Amino acid sequence: MAEVKTNVMRVLEQHKIAYTAYEYPHGKDAIDGVTVASLLGQDVRQVFKTLVAKGKSGGHYVFAIPVAAELDLKKAAKAAGEKSVEMVHVKDLLGLTGYVRGGCSPVGMKKAYPTFFDQTAETLPTIIVSAGRIGFQVETAPQELAALVRARFAELTV
């Protein structure tokens, strides 16, 4: 288990959700999720990235998808009930979520945005998401994580 305890880990513990913490070597900047999966020795299909988008209505949405996949904006908009969605600018991420690029987690954001997990998560016993800081990840059951953040499962990738 990682020696550092992030807010994400604290939230999971507070809600009695079992998790395994991972730490990987990193610099100040984020590295891509496929590299993170490799550094952790984990299946790339099990490691998820957290993306934030803005809908045409002005609402914000959170999408968790496998790190090797690409978010399909049309499918994301459909899941969110929007005409269209676009990714938020990296410079706006910290203000909206409290997280920086590469450390964005669906757990513990500044505000509870509507959240969607790619449907592939439902078929896995566990998924790995950011623990809220670059260099740290948590592995937990997707159903428990989805219940915690009130996420729905949907087809989200290309």
Side-chain angles (χ1 to χ4, degrees):
M1 180 154 140
E3 291 177 25
V4 172
K5 189 149 305 201
T6 67
N7 285 336
V8 170
M9 294 172 197
R10 288 185 193 95
V11 169
L12 293 174
E13 287 173 6
Q14 180 184 10
H15 289 89
K16 298 183 176 21
I17 296 174
Y19 70 90
T20 301
Y22 296 101
E23 184 174 356
Y24 60 88
H26 61 90
K28 285 188 339 190
D29 297 321
I31 56 176
D32 70 275
V34 172
T35 302
V36 170
S38 176
L39 288 170
L40 295 176
Q42 298 293 333
D43 185 335
V44 73
R45 294 170 296 184
Q46 186 183 11
V47 182
F48 279 59
K49 58 187 171 186
T50 304
L51 305 171
V52 182
K54 184 176 184 177
K56 187 142 180 92
S57 70
H60 290 91
Y61 302 91
V62 176
F63 300 98
I65 65 170
V67 294
E70 186 179 329
L71 182 66
D72 182 313
L73 294 176
K74 288 184 190 229
K75 290 177 183 175
K78 182 179 177 187
E82 288 276 357
K83 284 187 187 273
S84 64
V85 296
E86 61 183 34
M87 299 302 297
V88 298
H89 293 284
V90 173
K91 66 178 176 57
D92 298 329
L93 196 60
L94 181 61
L96 286 169
T97 67
Y99 295 125
V100 297
R101 180 181 174 270
C104 192
S105 177
V107 178
M109 289 194 177
K110 283 183 169 184
K111 187 176 173 200
Y113 298 109
T115 302
F116 303 87
F117 288 179
D118 187 68
Q119 64 188 7
T120 59
E122 280 187 296
T123 66
L124 300 168
T126 61
I127 61 171
I128 299 170
V129 297
S130 174
R133 282 179 58 185
I134 294 173
F136 298 90
Q137 301 276 301
V138 290
E139 178 178 4
T140 192
Q143 304 294 352
E144 287 189 71
L145 193 60
L148 175 65
V149 298
R150 296 189 173 114
R152 293 189 303 241
F153 293 94
E155 187 179 346
L156 299 173
T157 57
V158 173

